[in-house]
Amino acid sequence: NAGLILLKNGVRKYLPATRWAMEKDINDAIAVGNTIWTATNSGVTKITDKEMTLREKADYCFNVTEDKYVRKFGFVTGIHKIENCDINTGEPCITDNDGLWTQVYLGSLAFCYAVTKDEKVLEAARRTLYAMGYLTKVTGKKGFTARAVRFEGDVNFGVFVNEECSEWHPSPDGVSEWLGETSSDEMVGHFFGFSLYYDFCANDEEKEYIREIICDIVDHILENDYKLCDVDGLPTTWANWAPDQLNGNCMWLWEKCINSLEMLTFLDVAYHVSGNKKYRDEFMHLAIDEHYLINAAQHKKDDGHVCHIDDNLGFLTTATILRIEKEPAIRKYLLMGL
């Protein structure tokens, strides 16, 4: 046993332990009205439905996130050191994908502000914007962003820095330490969050700030044969969008289509914020000559490789490029990918 299954009118809903019950083995369960009680050897839990509007739900999630999940500079990831399922006992943690997770939050704030014009949402979004900007500049290498940063007082600060095989490095200003071996996940997050803030929240100064970051990243990728190159000059493991590799190396079979979609999205965003025709020309070259559009149309094909990470990256890139791309013929291929 691993939790609780609700069966209602032939529809099943799974509530896994230990999120919904104290432990995996549930001894008994009883439904009373809209409430379910579960009994385990560790204790009793109460599960209840609460009806609320979308705005009420958004406000609830915003308040919980701002109260519990934000760490220094505005990074938003997860909470660790939780005791007895009480989030009040935990603290925000550093992950190897701080850029991706925090950018998802930035994107959600941008959507929220676009609808509500709530100033407290804009204030949180602005703080998060500059946290992400710091992540893109802390490496000291133009266009190459860090996975995460940590500061004095954070867990493991000063540990394994600059040691052989370590991906943690001191920042040029000595204020922090940053994590390298940056992946495609980070790039997807940045182009999702930055582009949404640019469209829905940014003033002229912030638009220039985002424009510089986006173009620096894309220029870095193009200058390094469609790869991210770390401070050691070597490509990182997963940030590869090179046509000869995606189309010609069977080792990239499973990433071929999703990475094609990613690269088209990066170029579309760069053209969107800068108007520089070189990005559109490169987009069309990859889309047609290197058949990246055909690849993108198949990014969810049944190839025997099922991965929730690729689903997440596919959603974030598709949501971004479809918001920006206006050409009907191109959009048809992108929609096929859904």
Side-chain angles (χ1 to χ4, degrees), residues 9 77 118 296 329:
N9 299 326
T77 54
D118 189 326

Side-chain angles (χ1 to χ4, degrees), residues 206-273:
E206 291 165 342
K207 285 190 174 184
E208 180 56 37
Y209 180 75
I210 294 171
R211 185 180 302 118
E212 178 184 329
I213 290 173
I214 291 295
C215 293
D216 282 351
I217 293 173
V218 174
D219 288 346
H220 172 94
I221 293 172
L222 296 180
E223 291 164 5
N224 288 280
D225 191 26
Y226 302 95
K227 300 180 182 70
L228 284 184
C229 281
D230 215 321
V231 288
D232 58 6
L234 299 176
T236 63
T237 302
W238 296 108
N240 179 11
W241 304 278
D244 62 325
Q245 293 295 301
L246 299 188
N247 290 329
N249 185 343
C250 63
M251 292 293 292
W252 288 93
L253 175 64
W254 286 336
E255 287 78 25
K256 167 182 175 178
C257 296
I258 187 64
N259 285 28
S260 295
L261 175 62
E262 290 169 7
M263 192 66 230
L264 292 179
T265 301
F266 303 163
L267 289 164
D268 232 4
V269 172
Y271 180 61
H272 175 67
V273 301

Side-chain angles (χ1 to χ4, degrees), residues 127-156:
R127 175 207 64 215
T128 310
L129 168 71
Y130 287 107
M132 290 294 89
Y134 184 80
L135 203 64
T136 68
K137 297 177 182 295
V138 69
T139 66
K141 184 171 183 177
K142 189 176 181 180
F144 180 70
T145 78
R147 279 182 174 269
V149 291
R150 62 190 184 193
F151 303 89
E152 189 170 359
D154 286 335
V155 175
N156 289 329

